[in-house]
């Protein structure tokens, strides 16, 4: 699985480096959540659907056996770095520099 993730990261790096091959916004969001884009409407086990890719043509799936869960799934909300969290928790936010908080 780690080899697959490394290959996907390398592929995404090259796609972003080549002008004119930028990814759609929903695909970038999926990649930001460490997700993968599948052609089918449902995700294979152990993946769970969290959105779309390729302008809603594919399904964005994340691995449920990993720690990559969205902040909202964990009961929190995302805040920018300048806001202090009273209680921070694990969870992915759409912006990498943002934090997942249960209480602000």
């Amino acid at each position: 699985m780690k080899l697959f993730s490394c290959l996907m990261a390398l592929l995404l790096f090259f796609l972003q480096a080549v002008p004119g091959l930028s990814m759609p916004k929903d695909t970038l969001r999926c990649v930001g959540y460490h997700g993968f884009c599948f052609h089918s409407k449902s995700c294979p086990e152990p993946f769970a659907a969290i959105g779309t890719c390729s302008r809603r043509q594919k399904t964005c799936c994340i691995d449920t056996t990993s720690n990559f869960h969205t902040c909202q799934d964990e009961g929190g909300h995302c805040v920018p770095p300048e806001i202090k969290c009273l209680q921070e928790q694990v969870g992915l936010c759409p912006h990498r520099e943002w934090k997942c908080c249960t209480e602000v």
Side-chain angles (χ1 to χ4, degrees):
M1 190 66 170
K2 287 190 182 258
L3 178 64
F4 180 70
S5 296
C6 289
L7 289 173
M8 286 298 293
L10 186 63
L11 175 67
L12 293 174
F13 172 76
F14 285 122
L15 284 175
Q16 290 176 346
V18 177
L21 289 180
S22 63
M23 291 184 279
K25 195 178 285 188
D26 60 349
T27 303
L28 288 172
R29 184 169 187 251
C30 181
V31 171
Y33 281 128
H34 304 278
F36 302 98
C37 297
F38 289 95
H39 287 285
S40 63
K41 292 294 179 193
S42 61
C43 299
E45 289 292 328
F47 293 91
I50 65 160
T52 62
C53 294
S54 302
R55 296 179 181 90
R56 300 180 188 234
Q57 300 287 323
K58 297 178 184 177
T59 305
C60 177
C61 304
I62 59 169
D63 185 357
T64 57
T65 61
S66 71
N67 292 327
F68 299 128
H69 297 286
T70 64
C71 183
Q72 288 79 10
D73 290 343
E74 299 297 324
H77 52 278
C78 295
V79 296
E82 58 270 8
I83 295 178
K84 282 185 114 178
C85 288
L86 294 177
Q87 187 174 359
E88 203 168 324
Q89 70 178 45
V90 176
L92 294 171
C93 292
H95 305 286
R96 288 184 190 254
E97 64 274 359
W98 285 32
K99 304 177 278 191
C100 183
C101 298
T102 52
E103 293 183 37
V104 179

